[in-house]
Amino acid sequence: MPTNLSADTAIFKRRESVARSYCRGFQAVFTAASGSEFTDSTGRKYIDFLAGCSSLNYGHNDPDMKAALIQHISADGIAHGLDLHTNTKAAFLKAFETHVLAPRGMDHRVMFPGPTGTNAVEAAMKLARKVTGRTNIIAFTNGFHGVSLGAVAATANAYHRGGAGVALGGVTRMPFDGYFGADVDTADYLEKMLSDKSGGIDAPAAIILETVQGEGGLNVARPEWLRRIAAIAKAHGALLIVDDVQAGIGRAGTFFSFEEMGVTPDIVTLAKSVSGFGLPMALVLVRPQHDVFGPAEHNGTFRGNTHAFVTARIAIEKFWADDAFQTRIADKAAMLTRALEDIADMIPGAVLKGRGMMQGVDVGSGAFAAEICARAFENGLIIETSGNEDQVVKVLAPLTTPDKVFARGLTILQSSVQEVCSELKLAAE
């Protein structure tokens, strides 16, 4: 087993593009993963509080999904089928209809775009424009919707927008819930701007938002705010798009992040953990009256990843056939909140952010958050940051993490914060 890290990583430095990112903060070569733990080339184990940026909500290599996929491959099951009718697609759609859509009273049709979140957003925005005959999309401060050219126009982050290389148009930016503080209802601002014929905003085709802004700092939309936005969209002839790429599939506490908020979006985008196994897969859920794309008007060679259909069906049947998994998520989220409250108490001015199993602590600066994450990695925990200045230490542990492993990871995080705080205090003295 190789032990020379510099030799192990030389090929990446020599041949991989400098566009690489996550690996820069985690100097190891990983060789295996199971449940909520990684193993590196030296045999060291790390607890995973990143979960493929919420692509592994059910953990690494779930045994039931793995067995089903191996069986499918061993039997010469279809590996690639474009959007042909296949038995695996039928089985997935039936499971999704039975255990996800029908119990929630959702009549949405399922569109398979290219297998990424950003492609799902591209399809959603294009569809809204076709439905309404309008071009403008309203998006929000600190929103993140992907970095392909259409989606990045809706993304707020200046660094990602700067990478487009062209002027980004077709999107009007509005303040998210709480952007001006608790005393300002930004829904009032949006309604005033749209209702005023001299407000200067073109009639929107859609309003797109995340109920919890995953990359923007775990900012949470209040249910009453979201209901106002939905009503405003309807009153002005716009579609409501909820981007559930990161907050969905149980991450915010329920399968869809908006379930208990009193709205039914016109369009929902899903990706990341929808395959259950970390395989590329994305969905666009569309109300029937808006399902107006012509055949292949939005398409991709890898729409409908057949291997992902296999694992996604198992994930739905295993975790969403009843309420037991959702109850376990709530219990784990409460455990997380208590641990993060203790961490916040160590840091003057720190603020808890997020909900469900996408929570974190705003520690006030990106440099401080980076120090905490780096120390956590040294101590055996993989965790990342979020926010407009990367100032939020964000926990995205697999939802299936055993309580003992979860507690151990939280203890590592707490001790890492204590160590960094102590060193900074000593340095200041």
Side-chain angles (χ1 to χ4, degrees):
M1 185 176 293
T3 57
N4 187 331
L5 182 60
S6 61
D8 287 352
T9 58
I11 185 62
F12 305 117
K13 293 178 181 177
R14 188 167 69 248
R15 285 297 178 188
E16 188 176 4
S17 165
V18 294
R20 63 189 185 272
S21 61
Y22 287 108
C23 55
R24 295 176 182 273
F26 306 115
Q27 289 298 307
V29 175
F30 299 101
T31 58
S34 179
S36 299
E37 294 182 285
F38 273 108
T39 303
D40 72 9
S41 57
T42 70
R44 186 183 183 190
K45 292 186 179 297
Y46 300 81
I47 296 173
D48 184 8
F49 272 18
L50 180 57
C53 197
S54 204
S55 295
L56 294 162
N57 285 1
Y58 310 112
H60 296 268
N61 287 306
D62 174 272
D64 297 311
M65 297 181 215
K66 179 169 64 176
L69 182 57
I70 290 171
Q71 181 180 22
H72 175 82
I73 294 170
S74 297
D76 287 337
I78 294 168
H80 183 275
L82 293 171
D83 65 352
L84 296 173
H85 295 321
T86 64
N87 59 333
T88 50
K89 185 199 287 189
F92 164 74
L93 284 170
K94 289 175 182 176
F96 195 70
E97 178 182 62
T98 300
H99 299 302
V100 176
L101 296 178
R104 292 160 180 80
M106 295 175 64
D107 62 355
H108 295 64
R109 290 179 178 164
V110 181
M111 175 184 170
F112 299 104
T116 63
T118 193
N119 196 272
V121 169
E122 296 276 357
M125 293 170 67
K126 285 169 60 178
L127 183 59
R129 286 167 171 149
K130 180 168 184 176
V131 168
T132 62
R134 302 170 178 176
T135 59
N136 188 33
I137 304 282
I138 291 176
F140 292 92
T141 51
N142 289 307
F144 184 89
H145 301 287
V147 296
S148 54
L149 202 56
V152 79
T155 291
N157 182 275
Y159 174 76
H160 294 297
R161 292 174 63 82
V166 297
L168 297 172
V171 172
T172 298
R173 190 79 47 199
M174 285 286 125
F176 192 69
D177 191 20
Y179 187 74
F180 294 121
D183 295 333
V184 178
D185 188 343
T186 59
D188 290 338
Y189 180 84
L190 174 60
E191 186 168 41
K192 177 68 174 176
M193 294 290 286
L194 286 176
S195 299
D196 186 343
K197 292 181 179 179
S198 291
I201 297 178
D202 294 335
I207 299 176
I208 186 169
L209 57 85
E210 306 155 90
T211 66
V212 184
Q213 295 184 317
E215 298 304 303
L218 300 179
N219 308 305
V220 177
R222 294 168 297 129
E224 56 269 30
W225 183 84
L226 182 59
R227 289 192 291 271
R228 283 283 309 284
I229 298 300
I232 291 168
K234 185 175 182 179
H236 291 274
L239 305 191
L240 177 65
I241 303 171
V242 172
D243 181 346
D244 244 0
V245 168
Q246 188 168 148
I249 325 294
R251 178 56 60 183
T254 51
F255 188 91
F256 297 109
S257 69
F258 54 83
E259 280 182 38
E260 299 173 347
M261 302 179 79
V263 301
T264 300
D266 296 291
I267 302 175
V268 182
T269 58
L270 295 172
K272 291 191 182 287
S273 279
V274 72
S275 78
F277 203 65
L279 298 174
M281 185 178 184
L283 309 177
V284 179
L285 309 184
V286 186
R287 299 296 300 275
Q289 64 269 34
H290 305 315
D291 186 23
V292 299
F293 271 148
E297 190 170 355
H298 184 92
N299 66 64
T301 303
F302 296 99
R303 62 192 184 276
N305 181 341
T306 304
H307 289 163
F309 286 147
V310 174
T311 55
R313 175 185 63 82
I314 297 296
I316 290 168
E317 293 174 348
K318 179 176 180 177
F319 293 104
W320 299 101
D322 57 34
D323 295 333
F325 184 57
Q326 185 169 312
T327 299
R328 293 197 297 273
I329 294 172
D331 292 341
K332 208 173 299 295
M335 182 179 175
L336 175 58
T337 300
R338 291 191 294 270
L340 294 181
E341 286 174 343
D342 291 341
I343 289 173
D345 287 343
M346 303 177 195
I347 305 167
V351 179
L352 262 64
K353 305 293 293 288
R355 65 178 171 95
M357 282 291 284
M358 54 188 310
Q359 297 186 57
V361 180
D362 185 332
V363 301
S365 83
F368 187 18
E371 285 285 340
I372 291 169
C373 292
R375 184 59 54 86
F377 181 64
E378 291 175 10
N379 294 334
L381 178 70
I382 295 173
I383 189 168
E384 258 288 359
T385 61
S386 169
N388 58 336
E389 299 289 345
D390 296 320
Q391 76 277 18
V392 178
V393 178
K394 178 172 70 170
V395 177
L396 289 179
L399 308 180
T400 55
T401 306
D403 285 349
K404 288 184 178 179
V405 176
F406 195 43
R408 188 153 45 93
L410 292 170
T411 298
I412 292 173
L413 180 58
Q414 289 172 327
S415 63
S416 299
V417 171
Q418 287 176 328
E419 291 170 15
V420 173
C421 286
S422 296
E423 290 174 8
L424 290 175
K425 183 178 179 182
L426 288 172
E429 293 174 351

